[in-house]
Amino acid sequence: MDISNEPNASRRLSQERVDVNPLKRKWIEVDYGDLLKVKVGKPSAPRLFKVHRDVIYKKSRFFAAAAAENWIEGQQKIVKLPDVDGEIFATHLHGVYSDKIVLPEVPDTGREVYPAHIGLYLLADRLDDISARNAVMDILFGLWQRNLPRLRDTQAIYNGTLTSSKLRTLL
């Protein structure tokens, strides 16, 4: 059915179905034209990501606050994260857009360390992205069912999280 000639067709086409809660579904208008630039990595070799502001705001309270119009980042529409790894941010961004966390497979050798997994959790925690944080914690919990976390993973978690961290509790 072609709805392009119907009144309000453009409005309906610009709406995205967002699962806020699996039991309750809402229609939320998303502005795909308003972009936010995110520079990650060392200033000598930064990676630049362009993200839709409405999409990232719904997932990350950090971005919603940092890019508000009353802050310089919001006025310039650029957020700099020089201490964030570009690959980890790309993985997070994929999760923001697809609602799927894709992390590298780790062979079951009994000596696993999970730097990408823990790095993504720490980034999600920093960006206050609850859904990504919970998803990565579920993945780590499943991995740690077969092998306990290594000392290096435990140290990275304790060095990168607050005392109240749910991941610390899981350890």
Side-chain angles (χ1 to χ4, degrees), residues 37-171:
K37 293 178 185 173
V38 182
K39 267 189 183 179
V40 299
K42 297 176 183 153
S44 59
R47 278 185 72 180
L48 181 66
F49 295 88
K50 294 178 184 175
V51 298
H52 297 99
R53 286 173 62 140
D54 282 359
V55 174
I56 197 104
Y57 284 9
K58 285 175 181 45
K59 294 285 187 171
S60 168
R61 288 189 252 181
F62 168 85
F63 279 110
E69 293 295 323
N70 53 339
W71 296 101
I72 191 79
E73 290 86 354
Q75 294 167 9
Q76 295 178 349
K77 296 184 180 182
I78 187 162
V79 174
K80 296 174 186 168
L81 301 169
D83 57 336
V84 172
D85 179 81
E87 289 304 313
I88 301 250
F89 188 80
T91 301
H92 177 262
L93 201 54
H94 175 76
V96 166
Y97 279 96
S98 69
D99 281 332
K100 292 181 182 138
I101 301 294
V102 179
L103 288 161
E105 284 291 319
V106 179
D108 189 5
T109 63
R111 301 178 103 18
E112 295 83 14
V113 291
Y114 306 102
H117 299 67
I118 292 168
L120 184 56
Y121 177 88
L122 295 176
L123 179 61
D125 193 42
R126 176 179 174 184
L127 299 180
D128 204 5
D129 181 341
I130 296 168
S131 61
R133 188 170 53 212
N134 289 344
V136 175
M137 194 158 60
D138 288 345
I139 292 167
L140 284 168
F141 181 72
L143 292 169
W144 291 338
Q145 290 293 311
R146 59 179 201 212
N147 292 306
L148 293 174
R150 309 304 286 173
L151 178 61
R152 189 168 42 179
D153 290 340
T154 304
Q155 288 172 331
I157 291 165
Y158 270 81
N159 291 335
T161 60
L162 298 173
T163 308
S164 60
S165 168
K166 301 290 184 198
L167 192 57
R168 280 190 184 191
T169 305
L170 181 63
L171 289 173

Side-chain angles (χ1 to χ4, degrees), residues 18-31:
V18 178
D19 290 339
V20 177
N21 175 340
L23 302 175
K24 294 180 180 180
R25 301 187 192 275
K26 291 184 182 179
W27 285 95
I28 300 173
E29 281 196 45
V30 178
D31 179 4

